[in-house]
Amino acid sequence: MILTNNQERIRFFRFLVVGTIGAVVDFGTMNLLTSLFSIQAIFAQAISFTCAVISNFIWNRYWTYPDSRSKPLRHQLLQFFIVNILGLAIRTPLFKVFEQWFTKGWALIKPPVFSPEFLGRNMALATVVIIVMLWNFFVNRYWTYNDVK
């Protein structure tokens, strides 16, 4: 198992911290785009995902995997981008399904503070962020950052 040695546990913890920063960027951007600019959630989540990926690459390159410098930056960025594009391909259809499902559920409850749409899209985003985070960690660890011992 990947997390059996202490260094891998530290990397995973750092990856989670970076992912948390990315989630803040992701949620903040999506909610800004949907609330202030009335961009449809399905498009806003793709834009917010891209912003989070850029943030995550920088943090992962220089903090999570600082010992991964044998590959040129451009090559590593391309690999990271490919992994994340595949993550977006996993995330987008799941987001659409979960958004509809959570929004319908919240509409039945009729929450007093936030709209069912707001709660539905944010719960959908939280769900797909977790799913894609696992994909991203394992594929990036063994492909993008495979030069790390």
PDB file of all heavy atoms in Angstrom, residues 89-109:
ATOM      1  N   ALA A  89     -13.212  15.074 -16.777  1.00  0.00           N
ATOM      2  CA  ALA A  89     -14.120  14.203 -17.536  1.00  0.00           C
ATOM      3  C   ALA A  89     -14.893  13.263 -16.604  1.00  0.00           C
ATOM      4  O   ALA A  89     -16.036  12.898 -16.889  1.00  0.00           O
ATOM      5  CB  ALA A  89     -13.334  13.400 -18.573  1.00  0.00           C
ATOM      6  N   ILE A  90     -14.291  12.867 -15.506  1.00  0.00           N
ATOM      7  CA  ILE A  90     -14.980  12.062 -14.500  1.00  0.00           C
ATOM      8  C   ILE A  90     -15.957  12.948 -13.731  1.00  0.00           C
ATOM      9  O   ILE A  90     -17.102  12.577 -13.474  1.00  0.00           O
ATOM     10  CB  ILE A  90     -13.963  11.428 -13.519  1.00  0.00           C
ATOM     11  CG1 ILE A  90     -13.076  10.409 -14.236  1.00  0.00           C
ATOM     12  CG2 ILE A  90     -14.662  10.807 -12.311  1.00  0.00           C
ATOM     13  CD1 ILE A  90     -11.843   9.988 -13.444  1.00  0.00           C
ATOM     14  N   ARG A  91     -15.508  14.121 -13.373  1.00  0.00           N
ATOM     15  CA  ARG A  91     -16.242  15.025 -12.494  1.00  0.00           C
ATOM     16  C   ARG A  91     -17.501  15.628 -13.116  1.00  0.00           C
ATOM     17  O   ARG A  91     -18.547  15.715 -12.468  1.00  0.00           O
ATOM     18  CB  ARG A  91     -15.281  16.134 -12.066  1.00  0.00           C
ATOM     19  CG  ARG A  91     -15.897  17.281 -11.326  1.00  0.00           C
ATOM     20  CD  ARG A  91     -14.818  18.306 -11.051  1.00  0.00           C
ATOM     21  NE  ARG A  91     -15.365  19.631 -10.867  1.00  0.00           N
ATOM     22  CZ  ARG A  91     -14.921  20.485  -9.984  1.00  0.00           C
ATOM     23  NH1 ARG A  91     -13.920  20.175  -9.201  1.00  0.00           N
ATOM     24  NH2 ARG A  91     -15.463  21.674  -9.882  1.00  0.00           N
ATOM     25  N   THR A  92     -17.427  16.068 -14.355  1.00  0.00           N
ATOM     26  CA  THR A  92     -18.522  16.832 -14.946  1.00  0.00           C
ATOM     27  C   THR A  92     -19.832  16.049 -15.031  1.00  0.00           C
ATOM     28  O   THR A  92     -20.862  16.545 -14.574  1.00  0.00           O
ATOM     29  CB  THR A  92     -18.103  17.410 -16.307  1.00  0.00           C
ATOM     30  OG1 THR A  92     -16.976  18.283 -16.080  1.00  0.00           O
ATOM     31  CG2 THR A  92     -19.220  18.200 -16.954  1.00  0.00           C
ATOM     32  N   PRO A  93     -19.854  14.841 -15.591  1.00  0.00           N
ATOM     33  CA  PRO A  93     -21.143  14.120 -15.619  1.00  0.00           C
ATOM     34  C   PRO A  93     -21.636  13.758 -14.214  1.00  0.00           C
ATOM     35  O   PRO A  93     -22.845  13.791 -13.954  1.00  0.00           O
ATOM     36  CB  PRO A  93     -20.876  12.877 -16.462  1.00  0.00           C
ATOM     37  CG  PRO A  93     -19.404  12.781 -16.599  1.00  0.00           C
ATOM     38  CD  PRO A  93     -18.809  14.118 -16.297  1.00  0.00           C
ATOM     39  N   LEU A  94     -20.698  13.437 -13.316  1.00  0.00           N
ATOM     40  CA  LEU A  94     -21.105  13.144 -11.939  1.00  0.00           C
ATOM     41  C   LEU A  94     -21.691  14.380 -11.276  1.00  0.00           C
ATOM     42  O   LEU A  94     -22.690  14.299 -10.555  1.00  0.00           O
ATOM     43  CB  LEU A  94     -19.915  12.626 -11.125  1.00  0.00           C
ATOM     44  CG  LEU A  94     -19.413  11.233 -11.457  1.00  0.00           C
ATOM     45  CD1 LEU A  94     -18.162  10.907 -10.644  1.00  0.00           C
ATOM     46  CD2 LEU A  94     -20.489  10.198 -11.221  1.00  0.00           C
ATOM     47  N   PHE A  95     -21.077  15.543 -11.526  1.00  0.00           N
ATOM     48  CA  PHE A  95     -21.597  16.791 -10.969  1.00  0.00           C
ATOM     49  C   PHE A  95     -23.031  17.024 -11.425  1.00  0.00           C
ATOM     50  O   PHE A  95     -23.903  17.373 -10.627  1.00  0.00           O
ATOM     51  CB  PHE A  95     -20.719  17.983 -11.371  1.00  0.00           C
ATOM     52  CG  PHE A  95     -21.266  19.303 -10.895  1.00  0.00           C
ATOM     53  CD1 PHE A  95     -21.046  19.729  -9.594  1.00  0.00           C
ATOM     54  CD2 PHE A  95     -22.031  20.098 -11.736  1.00  0.00           C
ATOM     55  CE1 PHE A  95     -21.577  20.937  -9.135  1.00  0.00           C
ATOM     56  CE2 PHE A  95     -22.561  21.305 -11.298  1.00  0.00           C
ATOM     57  CZ  PHE A  95     -22.328  21.721  -9.989  1.00  0.00           C
ATOM     58  N   LYS A  96     -23.292  16.843 -12.694  1.00  0.00           N
ATOM     59  CA  LYS A  96     -24.631  17.073 -13.239  1.00  0.00           C
ATOM     60  C   LYS A  96     -25.656  16.170 -12.550  1.00  0.00           C
ATOM     61  O   LYS A  96     -26.725  16.631 -12.143  1.00  0.00           O
ATOM     62  CB  LYS A  96     -24.629  16.851 -14.744  1.00  0.00           C
ATOM     63  CG  LYS A  96     -25.931  17.220 -15.418  1.00  0.00           C
ATOM     64  CD  LYS A  96     -25.757  17.231 -16.916  1.00  0.00           C
ATOM     65  CE  LYS A  96     -27.024  17.541 -17.638  1.00  0.00           C
ATOM     66  NZ  LYS A  96     -27.513  18.885 -17.474  1.00  0.00           N
ATOM     67  N   VAL A  97     -25.328  14.907 -12.399  1.00  0.00           N
ATOM     68  CA  VAL A  97     -26.237  13.952 -11.751  1.00  0.00           C
ATOM     69  C   VAL A  97     -26.433  14.320 -10.280  1.00  0.00           C
ATOM     70  O   VAL A  97     -27.574  14.399  -9.800  1.00  0.00           O
ATOM     71  CB  VAL A  97     -25.704  12.507 -11.887  1.00  0.00           C
ATOM     72  CG1 VAL A  97     -26.483  11.544 -11.001  1.00  0.00           C
ATOM     73  CG2 VAL A  97     -25.750  12.065 -13.344  1.00  0.00           C
ATOM     74  N   PHE A  98     -25.335  14.538  -9.572  1.00  0.00           N
ATOM     75  CA  PHE A  98     -25.435  14.855  -8.143  1.00  0.00           C
ATOM     76  C   PHE A  98     -26.127  16.195  -7.907  1.00  0.00           C
ATOM     77  O   PHE A  98     -26.889  16.331  -6.955  1.00  0.00           O
ATOM     78  CB  PHE A  98     -24.059  14.865  -7.479  1.00  0.00           C
ATOM     79  CG  PHE A  98     -23.463  13.508  -7.277  1.00  0.00           C
ATOM     80  CD1 PHE A  98     -22.135  13.268  -7.614  1.00  0.00           C
ATOM     81  CD2 PHE A  98     -24.203  12.466  -6.745  1.00  0.00           C
ATOM     82  CE1 PHE A  98     -21.573  12.021  -7.434  1.00  0.00           C
ATOM     83  CE2 PHE A  98     -23.650  11.207  -6.557  1.00  0.00           C
ATOM     84  CZ  PHE A  98     -22.334  10.978  -6.901  1.00  0.00           C
ATOM     85  N   GLU A  99     -25.887  17.184  -8.760  1.00  0.00           N
ATOM     86  CA  GLU A  99     -26.531  18.485  -8.587  1.00  0.00           C
ATOM     87  C   GLU A  99     -28.053  18.338  -8.669  1.00  0.00           C
ATOM     88  O   GLU A  99     -28.785  18.872  -7.835  1.00  0.00           O
ATOM     89  CB  GLU A  99     -26.042  19.484  -9.637  1.00  0.00           C
ATOM     90  CG  GLU A  99     -26.710  20.849  -9.488  1.00  0.00           C
ATOM     91  CD  GLU A  99     -26.466  21.773 -10.655  1.00  0.00           C
ATOM     92  OE1 GLU A  99     -26.203  21.294 -11.773  1.00  0.00           O
ATOM     93  OE2 GLU A  99     -26.557  22.990 -10.445  1.00  0.00           O
ATOM     94  N   GLN A 100     -28.516  17.613  -9.675  1.00  0.00           N
ATOM     95  CA  GLN A 100     -29.963  17.405  -9.813  1.00  0.00           C
ATOM     96  C   GLN A 100     -30.519  16.641  -8.608  1.00  0.00           C
ATOM     97  O   GLN A 100     -31.565  16.996  -8.066  1.00  0.00           O
ATOM     98  CB  GLN A 100     -30.268  16.649 -11.108  1.00  0.00           C
ATOM     99  CG  GLN A 100     -29.987  17.462 -12.347  1.00  0.00           C
ATOM    100  CD  GLN A 100     -30.069  16.639 -13.622  1.00  0.00           C
ATOM    101  OE1 GLN A 100     -30.169  15.419 -13.596  1.00  0.00           O
ATOM    102  NE2 GLN A 100     -30.004  17.320 -14.759  1.00  0.00           N
ATOM    103  N   TRP A 101     -29.810  15.615  -8.213  1.00  0.00           N
ATOM    104  CA  TRP A 101     -30.264  14.770  -7.112  1.00  0.00           C
ATOM    105  C   TRP A 101     -30.323  15.545  -5.792  1.00  0.00           C
ATOM    106  O   TRP A 101     -31.333  15.520  -5.095  1.00  0.00           O
ATOM    107  CB  TRP A 101     -29.330  13.562  -7.006  1.00  0.00           C
ATOM    108  CG  TRP A 101     -29.783  12.519  -6.062  1.00  0.00           C
ATOM    109  CD1 TRP A 101     -30.835  11.660  -6.218  1.00  0.00           C
ATOM    110  CD2 TRP A 101     -29.202  12.216  -4.795  1.00  0.00           C
ATOM    111  NE1 TRP A 101     -30.927  10.831  -5.127  1.00  0.00           N
ATOM    112  CE2 TRP A 101     -29.938  11.149  -4.231  1.00  0.00           C
ATOM    113  CE3 TRP A 101     -28.127  12.735  -4.080  1.00  0.00           C
ATOM    114  CZ2 TRP A 101     -29.640  10.606  -3.001  1.00  0.00           C
ATOM    115  CZ3 TRP A 101     -27.820  12.176  -2.858  1.00  0.00           C
ATOM    116  CH2 TRP A 101     -28.578  11.132  -2.327  1.00  0.00           C
ATOM    117  N   PHE A 102     -29.233  16.247  -5.457  1.00  0.00           N
ATOM    118  CA  PHE A 102     -29.200  17.012  -4.204  1.00  0.00           C
ATOM    119  C   PHE A 102     -30.199  18.176  -4.218  1.00  0.00           C
ATOM    120  O   PHE A 102     -30.833  18.469  -3.211  1.00  0.00           O
ATOM    121  CB  PHE A 102     -27.793  17.541  -3.910  1.00  0.00           C
ATOM    122  CG  PHE A 102     -26.833  16.511  -3.402  1.00  0.00           C
ATOM    123  CD1 PHE A 102     -25.611  16.316  -4.031  1.00  0.00           C
ATOM    124  CD2 PHE A 102     -27.128  15.735  -2.283  1.00  0.00           C
ATOM    125  CE1 PHE A 102     -24.708  15.376  -3.550  1.00  0.00           C
ATOM    126  CE2 PHE A 102     -26.239  14.793  -1.803  1.00  0.00           C
ATOM    127  CZ  PHE A 102     -25.023  14.614  -2.432  1.00  0.00           C
ATOM    128  N   THR A 103     -30.337  18.842  -5.365  1.00  0.00           N
ATOM    129  CA  THR A 103     -31.280  19.957  -5.447  1.00  0.00           C
ATOM    130  C   THR A 103     -32.714  19.473  -5.228  1.00  0.00           C
ATOM    131  O   THR A 103     -33.480  20.112  -4.497  1.00  0.00           O
ATOM    132  CB  THR A 103     -31.142  20.680  -6.806  1.00  0.00           C
ATOM    133  OG1 THR A 103     -29.811  21.191  -6.916  1.00  0.00           O
ATOM    134  CG2 THR A 103     -32.129  21.827  -6.933  1.00  0.00           C
ATOM    135  N   LYS A 104     -33.068  18.346  -5.824  1.00  0.00           N
ATOM    136  CA  LYS A 104     -34.412  17.782  -5.614  1.00  0.00           C
ATOM    137  C   LYS A 104     -34.627  17.430  -4.141  1.00  0.00           C
ATOM    138  O   LYS A 104     -35.692  17.671  -3.582  1.00  0.00           O
ATOM    139  CB  LYS A 104     -34.620  16.548  -6.483  1.00  0.00           C
ATOM    140  CG  LYS A 104     -34.841  16.875  -7.934  1.00  0.00           C
ATOM    141  CD  LYS A 104     -35.015  15.617  -8.760  1.00  0.00           C
ATOM    142  CE  LYS A 104     -35.113  15.967 -10.238  1.00  0.00           C
ATOM    143  NZ  LYS A 104     -35.156  14.776 -11.084  1.00  0.00           N
ATOM    144  N   GLY A 105     -33.602  16.865  -3.516  1.00  0.00           N
ATOM    145  CA  GLY A 105     -33.694  16.519  -2.100  1.00  0.00           C
ATOM    146  C   GLY A 105     -33.895  17.750  -1.227  1.00  0.00           C
ATOM    147  O   GLY A 105     -34.749  17.761  -0.333  1.00  0.00           O
ATOM    148  N   TRP A 106     -33.130  18.794  -1.492  1.00  0.00           N
ATOM    149  CA  TRP A 106     -33.274  20.032  -0.713  1.00  0.00           C
ATOM    150  C   TRP A 106     -34.599  20.718  -0.988  1.00  0.00           C
ATOM    151  O   TRP A 106     -35.169  21.364  -0.103  1.00  0.00           O
ATOM    152  CB  TRP A 106     -32.112  20.990  -0.969  1.00  0.00           C
ATOM    153  CG  TRP A 106     -30.881  20.593  -0.227  1.00  0.00           C
ATOM    154  CD1 TRP A 106     -29.727  20.100  -0.767  1.00  0.00           C
ATOM    155  CD2 TRP A 106     -30.684  20.618   1.181  1.00  0.00           C
ATOM    156  NE1 TRP A 106     -28.830  19.819   0.220  1.00  0.00           N
ATOM    157  CE2 TRP A 106     -29.389  20.132   1.442  1.00  0.00           C
ATOM    158  CE3 TRP A 106     -31.467  20.998   2.258  1.00  0.00           C
ATOM    159  CZ2 TRP A 106     -28.860  20.018   2.717  1.00  0.00           C
ATOM    160  CZ3 TRP A 106     -30.948  20.894   3.546  1.00  0.00           C
ATOM    161  CH2 TRP A 106     -29.664  20.404   3.758  1.00  0.00           C
ATOM    162  N   ALA A 107     -35.123  20.587  -2.197  1.00  0.00           N
ATOM    163  CA  ALA A 107     -36.419  21.192  -2.518  1.00  0.00           C
ATOM    164  C   ALA A 107     -37.536  20.552  -1.686  1.00  0.00           C
ATOM    165  O   ALA A 107     -38.494  21.222  -1.310  1.00  0.00           O
ATOM    166  CB  ALA A 107     -36.712  21.052  -4.010  1.00  0.00           C
ATOM    167  N   LEU A 108     -37.405  19.269  -1.402  1.00  0.00           N
ATOM    168  CA  LEU A 108     -38.399  18.587  -0.557  1.00  0.00           C
ATOM    169  C   LEU A 108     -38.346  19.083   0.885  1.00  0.00           C
ATOM    170  O   LEU A 108     -39.366  19.184   1.556  1.00  0.00           O
ATOM    171  CB  LEU A 108     -38.177  17.070  -0.593  1.00  0.00           C
ATOM    172  CG  LEU A 108     -38.424  16.382  -1.941  1.00  0.00           C
ATOM    173  CD1 LEU A 108     -37.995  14.918  -1.873  1.00  0.00           C
ATOM    174  CD2 LEU A 108     -39.887  16.495  -2.342  1.00  0.00           C
ATOM    175  N   ILE A 109     -37.143  19.393   1.349  1.00  0.00           N
ATOM    176  CA  ILE A 109     -36.954  19.839   2.734  1.00  0.00           C
ATOM    177  C   ILE A 109     -37.319  21.314   2.900  1.00  0.00           C
ATOM    178  O   ILE A 109     -37.750  21.737   3.965  1.00  0.00           O
ATOM    179  CB  ILE A 109     -35.493  19.584   3.181  1.00  0.00           C
ATOM    180  CG1 ILE A 109     -35.202  18.091   3.164  1.00  0.00           C
ATOM    181  CG2 ILE A 109     -35.214  20.196   4.541  1.00  0.00           C
ATOM    182  CD1 ILE A 109     -33.747  17.731   3.368  1.00  0.00           C
TER     183      ILE A 109
END
